Amino acid sequence: MLHRFALAIDRELGGNREFYIYRRKFKISVTGCISWCSYPEINDVAFTATTRLRNGAKEIGFSVRIGGGLSTSHILP
């Protein structure tokens, strides 16, 4: 699932001239690590795979974080 999702993002954004106007990198993270081992908070958009029970059925989806670090100062250890 993660592999297909990451490839879909790459197909949509890779080479897309609409994203060339940014003055800095636009960082996207896709991970399956629920321990935040990819530091999603430093990316502009971060997708972390997760599961939940809904009406007794297991659903697979993503926790999404939006924001990222725009600062030149590091705040993570």
Side-chain angles (χ1 to χ4, degrees):
M1 178 182 109
L2 287 175
H3 181 73
R4 287 183 300 202
F5 187 69
L7 287 176
I9 291 172
D10 181 58
R11 278 192 303 275
E12 187 66 31
L13 302 180
N16 187 334
R17 293 199 176 273
E18 292 181 22
F19 287 92
Y20 291 163
I21 62 171
Y22 296 116
R23 295 183 182 199
R24 60 176 193 81
K25 293 185 290 184
F26 186 79
K27 299 174 290 182
I28 300 174
S29 167
V30 179
T31 185
C33 179
I34 60 171
S35 300
W36 304 106
C37 48
S38 64
Y39 292 110
E41 57 273 355
I42 66 171
N43 295 288
D44 296 302
V45 180
F47 298 93
T48 302
T50 189
T51 60
R52 72 175 180 180
L53 285 177
R54 186 171 188 187
N55 297 327
K58 184 176 176 182
E59 289 184 335
I60 300 172
F62 292 94
S63 166
V64 179
R65 286 183 166 210
I66 298 177
L70 300 175
S71 174
T72 56
S73 302
H74 300 285
I75 58 170
L76 295 175

